[in-house]
Every structure is written in C-alpha cells, then in structure tokens.
Amino acid sequence: MAHQATVADGGDNYLNHSKGLMSWLTTLDHKRIGLMYLASVLLFFLVGGIFALLIRLELYKSGTQIIDANTYNRFFTYHGAIMVFLVIIPSIPAALGNFILPIILGAKDVAFPRLNLASYYIFMVGAIFAVAALFLRGADTGWTFYTPYSIRTNTTVILVLTGAFIAGFSSILTGLNFIVTIHKLRAPGLSWSRLPLFCWALYATSIIQVLATPVLAITLLLLMMERIVGIGIFDPKLGGDPILFQHFFWFYSHPAVYIMILPAMGVISEIIPVFSRKPMFGYKAIAYSSFGIALIAFIVWGHHMFVSGQAELANFVFSLLTMFVAVPTGVKVFSWIGTMYKGSMHYYAPMLYVFGFLELFTIGGLTGVFLATLAIDVHLTQTYFVVAHFHYVMVGGTLMSLMAGLHYWFPKMFGKMYSERSAQISFWLILIGFNVTFLPQFVLGAQGMPRRYWDYLPEFTTLNRISTVGSWFIGLGFLYAAVYFYQALRSGKKASANPWNALTLEWQTSSPPPHDNFIETPVVTSWPYEYLPENIYMQGNS
Amino acid sequence: MFNQALAGSVPIQGTAVAARWDGLWDFLIGLSAFFFVLVVGAMIYFIIAYRHRPEKKTTYLTGSHLLEAVWIAVPTLLLMIIFGWGYSIYHSMTQAPADAYEVRVIGKQWLWTFQYDSGRTTVNEVFVPLNRPVKFVMTSEDVLHGFYIPNFRIKQDVVPGMYSSIWFQATVPGKHQVFCTEYCGTSHSGMLAKVIVLDDAQWKAWNLNRPIGNVPEVKYSGVEEVSAQSPVASAQGSLVEQGKAVYEKKGCTACHSVDGTTKVGPTHKGLFGSKVELADGRTVVADENYIRNHIENPQSSTVKGFNAVMPTFKGLISETEMNALIAYIKSLK
C-alpha cells in the first residue's frame, strides 16, 4: 500500500491539544464529539441494561417476583425506548462514525463541525426529556406508542415523545453531515471505487436517516396534538384510525432497523479483511447491497402489521417484498465468509466479536424469513419469537459489531491497548450468555407465549428461568468489559500507530491522532483491501 | 421429522390449518438448519484451516461473479417458494366459509365478551361446535387487543371502531387457550380466555341450555380431563330479537323500513351483503364494517338518491347493542 501518509511524532494529539472541561463541551473536533457520544451512549446502555436485567428477574417465575404489573409495563417501555432511540440508533454512526469517518477519508473533520456539535446537544436535550419522564409518572406504552392506548394512558407519554422527536433531529443532521463529508472531503486519490466499506455503509445509513426520520417526527407531533389538543387522528373515539398510526410509525421504524444494522455491517466489513489478511471478497457486491437494503427498507414496513387488520392484498405485497431483504443480506454474509477463505487469520478480540456477530446475525436473519412468511407470522408475531428474533439482530448484530469496532479502534482512539485476555473472557461470557438468554425465547414464542407479559402460564416457567439465568452472564460480561476498558484507559500499554497492520487511512496516522488527524494530507494510490499474499503479519495485542 | 426432534416446540394441531402450518414450519426449520450449518460450519472450518501460520501465504482473491450469481439466485428462488407456500396457507386462514357459525367478540380492558345468535352472552369462555367452521367478528371497546389461539395457529388484532374477523374449524374437542397479544395496559397478561370446542352431544346440550358434562382441557402437549363445566347464564331473547329492540329504541324506524318501502332513507330489507351505490359514485358491499361506519359517520357514505340528513349515532350505541343491531339488519332478508 502506497499511502503517502504521515505519522505525527509524539507530543500533540487531540486528547491533549487543549485542556479543561470547556474545551470538551465547546469542541468542534469530530473525535472529541465522537467520544462524547460514546460516553453518553454507554451511559444509556447501562441504564437500559439494568431495566433489561430487572425485566428478566421479574420473569424468573410466574406471579409477582420483584415488581407489579404497572411497574413492569414501565420498565419494558424504558428498556425498549432507551435501547432503540438512545443506544442502538446513535451507537455506531454517531459514536464510532463521528470518530472514524473523517480520518478514514483522510479529512481534517466532518463537513460541518458546528452542526456536528449541535447534533450532539440536540441528542442530549432529547435524551433529557425522555429520561425526565422516568422521574415523573413514567410511560407504559412500549417503545412503539401504539394508539389509542398511548393517547389514553395517564403516564407522561408526552415527555418521552418529545424526547424522541428532538433526538430525531440529531439523527437527521448527523446523516446530512456524513453525506456531505463523504462527497466532498475524501483525500486525493480516494475515488468511489476505493472507498472503505464502512463509509459505504454510513452513506446508506445517512440516506435513511435523512429521508425517514422526518416521518417519525410528524407522527410523534400528530400524536402529541391528539393527546394535548384532542384533534382526532388516531383515536376512533375522536374519529381517527389507530391502524394509520401503525403505518406512520413503521414507515420510519422499519427503515430505522436498517439505521441500526447497516453501520454494524460496515464495521464487520472493515475488520474481516484486516484479520484475515485477505482482500475483501466481493467489494462491490457488499457496497451495492447496502444500498439495496436501504432501498427495500422503505417498502416493507407493512410486514409489522400482518395481523393488524390491514387488507389481505397489502399483506400479500409486503410479504413478497420482505423476502427480498434476505437476498442482499445473504450476499454480505457469504462475501464475509468468502473473505476468510484461504486467508491467514489472527484471532484477537475484534475478530472474535466478528465471529460472534456472524453466528448470531445468521440466526437473526434466518428467523426473519420465518416472520416474513405470511401464515407463519400469524402464529409467531407478537410472541417471544419476535422478541428473540430482533434481539438476535439488534444485539447479536449491532451490539456485537459495536463491541468489535470498539476493540478494533480502541488503540487508535486512546493510544492504549486493553488486556486481550480479559477481552476474550468477556467475549465468551457475552456470547454464551446471549444464546442462553434468547434461544429459549424462540421456543417460548413458537409455543405461544405472547410478549409484553408481566405474568405467564406455569408451562412456560422452565424456559423463562433459563433465559433469566442467561441474562446474568450477559450482564457480567459487559460489567467485566467496563472494568478492563477502564484499566486500559488508566494504565494500558501504549498502542502503536497501526497494531493491526491495516491499510485504511485511520491507521496511517499516530495513535491517538493529532488534532487535525494528519500532519500532511494523505494521498491514496490503491484500494483499502489490497492485502498481498505475503502480507500476513500483524503486531496484534499480546 | 423435525417435529420429533423438537417435540413440544409448537402447540398441538387443533385445526386442519394448524397441520398445514406445521408442515411449512418443519420445512423452514430444516432449511434454516441447513443454511446455519453452511455459514457457521464454513466459518468454523476456515477458522481452523486458515489460522495464521508463519510463512503460509494467503491466496489473492477479490470475488467471483459465478459464486455471487449462485448466492443471489438460489436464495431468491427458495424465498419465492416460501412466500407462495406461506401465502397459500394464509389465504385459507382468511377465507371463512359462508355457512360458518358466527360469534361476536368484544375485547375490553381486560376481558373478552362473546355474543351468540341465540342472544346469550359469555365472558372469557366461548363455546363452539366441533368440526364446523366458526367465525368470530371482533371489535374493541377501548384500545387495541389481539385474539390469539396458539393451538389453531391463528391471531388477529381487535381494533376499536372497526370489525376484524378470524375463523377456524376445530378438530380437537376441549378447552383451547386464548391470549391477548396486543399490549393493552396493566392486566394485559391476565386477559385470557378459552375456546371451548364441544362435540355433537355437548353442542346440543349447550344450545338447549342444559349441563354439558366434562370438557377436557387441551394443553400444548395433549389432552387431559378436568371437572364438569357448569351451564352458562341464559339470555333475554335471541340476538336478532335484541337487535330489533335496539332498532326500535334508537328510532331507526323513523326513516328506514324493514319491508322494502322507501322512507326518508333506504329500506333495510335485503341490505346486508348487497351492493350499495353511493352518492359519490362508489359502490360498496354492505357488510358489518359498512353498516357500522354508516351508523357512526353517515355523511361519509350517503346512498345515491337520498339526502345526507342522517345524524351520527357515534357514542350512542354500545358495542353489544351494535352487534345485536347488525345481527337484526342481517336477518332482514
């Protein structure tokens, strides 16, 4: 690889470039903003995770364990809303994307640094509204806010809606910023056909963010107007149509599923060639399939509504279209496996998380085909089968990928190495814990146990108990990860500029990068996955 | 085959549709197992076979159009088969036979009410005949609910302000579990009911309001006997009779006839199931949803040749009255 890259020689970096709390709160540096997003997202992940553990604890046996039905209904609402809107949606694009995208493009920053900082504050204002509801009467509608229940419940739904409404603008602005950055700020020589796949994935994601999020904003606004002013839009008592809400909601929230998973796929695509020491297999197919998925994302929302009462013709069309999601997704999975073929694979923590991703995402994807199939969905929808399916995709996909990305870019972000041994122990805890938690839920769903149930029939006890025990291992795994990351920040070994011997631009500058990312603008002369047969070594993390 | 491997993974087959459903389920389990082993098996094999070894070079490969064509074409073909198979079963789930025995279902936080043609009403237990098509016409008094019978593999949301329906032909006598599946607040998980499928003798006894004897409880894994079912509360007149009373009480007779003569509004004789030409040029079929909608929003579907003078009855007719009213209009042949 013949990047004319330059490595800053010690001293100045973005972390010590300026000092003090205000230098962080008013920073325009995409790296610092990325870290601020990361810290916020991890904090919300802790909160959402605690709710998850409490939910599972309550479901350890039938009958009341620790909380009553009303509290339980609030807790699953908080868990869902926090994890979707404040963790998974911003996790990879806003945190890792903000940090990595400009550097991997060879740019000094995103196209609009001030807008970027504004996005962060808008996100936090939205989050504060949503979290404030927790301290008042809470919200008990589920993260989907289905009408007319959400109009009639006496909980503080308005605050949560306002929070999601505001946070949505952050998502739109970040998407806009990324699109312009990718178009305008690529380093000399970084043509479209040499663009790293993480950028392609973020590009496809940004398009969805810009086009779909306004629909969510409008929907939530209409819902607020109905609750506050009593304008009849969704409540049949006022002449509205509750199914219309579901159409509006899923018109955003289905594409949002791809806002969550496409960046995750981008991270996986970066890591596999590096740790396999092989060129990406089917680079164009992976790049294009992101856009294929983004396009299909907009025309399949009705598959959430097969038993809602919508017309049979609509169900026919949405089931048919949904089947096509599996095609580009399959292309990606096969291409990733193909990249490993005849490689020289190194098994450090980032790659372990990739393997975990592939195992879990494959199960998530295959069970998605069950749910896309009309008759099969009629029995399985609204049961634990759906719960297990989307956790395999969202946690098994997005969170595993976030962990892969964190372990991969941690040396770049902080200039320190974490304990590889601890990372591997934590990985196995999370992977095994995850499967123990969610595999039984597929069976529970197939047997007919509905979701959002505070209590259940005695015949569901054993599987629920196994699931609850599994959740403790996931909790332990993440707790352990928090400990060794903290230790690494405090006293980790110094990381070299390019411990993984990777070819993309972010590894061609020092760790951590200087304030302006590069001393001199890098020039790109080949594609980023040009791993020649003898290029099989990396320093790694030992 | 896979059912044996995964014994108990799905409930018993309470209908013929459930048996077809299980066939497709088995196919999908088998196909998924194949692709899972293919992907994860290949991954594990590569992890072992292509682990890093000093001096062992990689092979420079950037893709293969042939492979890509294969892994686009094969899944597409399989997915189309799955889609068609799934739609075919779904279609038979939605097409209720014309002679189906009808029960009206009302969901409200947090119980189920069932109204029969005989005028009886039951709560959280619905009595239906064995081996005969049964259709539930459902609505909700408050928020969304979901009506789900796992043993029959069917489920349908119950929506306020409109009617949705579900049908089945039960092949296993006994009590079958019903769950509410659309989140509806505090006691969502307590909103349970039973579909009680009666054999011929029991069905006759039920219709004569006599004790019906033992009804087995159908569990997910099989059938077991439970104590005798007590007879259920009697009603005041048949549903059609109740509907006639509502019809007169609410003053429908002022503008509508039941004998074919035209008054201020069109007659209701022969209305149900007929095609109605509307003033705005549409032609609609007068089904439950049309009648309900017309009673609640008359201006939205004024009949051709009539003036839009009917007032709305929204909020003035309860769900039980509405069901009786529609049953009465339906009876005006």
Side-chain angles (χ1 to χ4, degrees), chain A residues 267-280 339 344-346 348 350-351 408-409 498-504 506-507 528-531 535-538, chain B residues 58:
Chain A
V267 172
I268 300 300
S269 301
E270 286 309 313
I271 293 175
I272 289 181
V274 175
F275 287 79
S276 304
R277 316 305 302 162
K278 270 271 309 286
M280 189 75 223
T339 305
S344 176
M345 284 196 274
H346 297 260
Y348 294 105
M351 193 60 167
Y408 178 56
W409 282 305
N498 192 359
W500 316 121
N501 194 15
L503 299 180
T504 39
E506 79 275 28
W507 299 105
Y529 308 110
E530 189 72 3
Y531 292 97
N535 184 1
I536 59 169
Y537 296 99
M538 65 165 60
Chain B
T58 64

Side-chain angles (χ1 to χ4, degrees), chain A residues 301-529:
Chain A
W301 77 91
H303 69 216
H304 295 269
M305 301 167 58
F306 286 159
V307 302
S308 70
Q310 76 180 357
E312 185 177 339
L313 177 66
N315 283 344
F316 177 95
V317 172
F318 281 121
S319 173
L320 181 64
L321 290 171
T322 302
M323 290 293 170
F324 291 107
V325 177
V327 177
T329 311
V331 166
K332 282 186 193 282
V333 172
F334 294 132
S335 301
W336 290 326
I337 301 284
T339 305
M340 299 174 187
Y341 176 67
K342 294 205 168 171
S344 176
M345 284 196 274
H346 297 260
Y347 307 130
Y348 294 105
M351 193 60 167
L352 287 188
Y353 275 103
V354 169
F355 296 142
F357 170 96
L358 285 170
E359 189 254 325
L360 303 180
F361 185 73
T362 301
I363 294 177
L366 289 168
T367 51
V369 175
F370 283 68
L371 295 170
T373 308
L374 264 174
I376 297 295
D377 183 72
V378 169
H379 176 64
L380 296 177
T381 188
Q382 301 169 356
T383 71
Y384 262 86
F385 192 95
V386 173
V387 176
H389 160 71
F390 69 68
H391 280 86
Y392 265 87
V393 178
M394 298 289 89
V395 183
T398 310
L399 265 181
M400 290 305 262
S401 167
L402 176 70
M403 289 298 276
L406 269 182
H407 286 86
Y408 178 56
W409 282 305
F410 188 90
K412 180 56 60 185
M413 294 169 126
F414 302 104
K416 303 269 179 71
M417 296 305 288
Y418 46 84
S419 156
E420 178 66 25
R421 194 183 144 79
S422 302
Q424 299 209 357
I425 292 169
S426 158
F427 164 76
W428 286 108
L429 278 174
I430 294 170
L431 183 76
I432 294 169
F434 183 85
N435 282 300
V436 172
T437 307
F438 291 102
L439 270 180
Q441 295 187 7
F442 282 121
V443 185
L444 279 173
Q447 287 178 344
M449 180 172 162
R451 68 192 186 122
R452 296 175 169 178
Y453 263 33
W454 165 74
D455 196 9
Y456 51 80
L457 299 183
E459 48 259 57
F460 299 130
T461 306
T462 309
L463 289 170
N464 268 294
R465 196 164 287 183
I466 295 171
S467 180
T468 299
V469 171
S471 71
W472 300 337
F473 285 91
I474 305 178
L476 207 61
F478 278 112
L479 194 68
Y480 191 38
V483 171
Y484 70 74
F485 273 135
Y486 177 73
Q487 279 176 345
L489 287 178
R490 294 272 310 222
S491 55
K493 283 196 317 275
K494 189 169 164 24
S496 66
N498 192 359
W500 316 121
N501 194 15
L503 299 180
T504 39
L505 283 180
E506 79 275 28
W507 299 105
Q508 316 311 322
T509 186
S510 55
S511 301
H515 177 70
D516 288 332
N517 296 344
F518 300 91
I519 305 296
E520 284 172 40
T521 303
V523 176
V524 178
T525 55
S526 71
W527 78 315
Y529 308 110

Side-chain angles (χ1 to χ4, degrees), chain B residues 48 68 82 84 96 108 117 125 145 153 179 273:
Chain B
I48 297 164
E68 279 168 9
I82 294 167
K108 63 182 272 191
D117 281 342
E125 285 182 324
H145 300 286
R153 312 285 187 279
F179 293 109

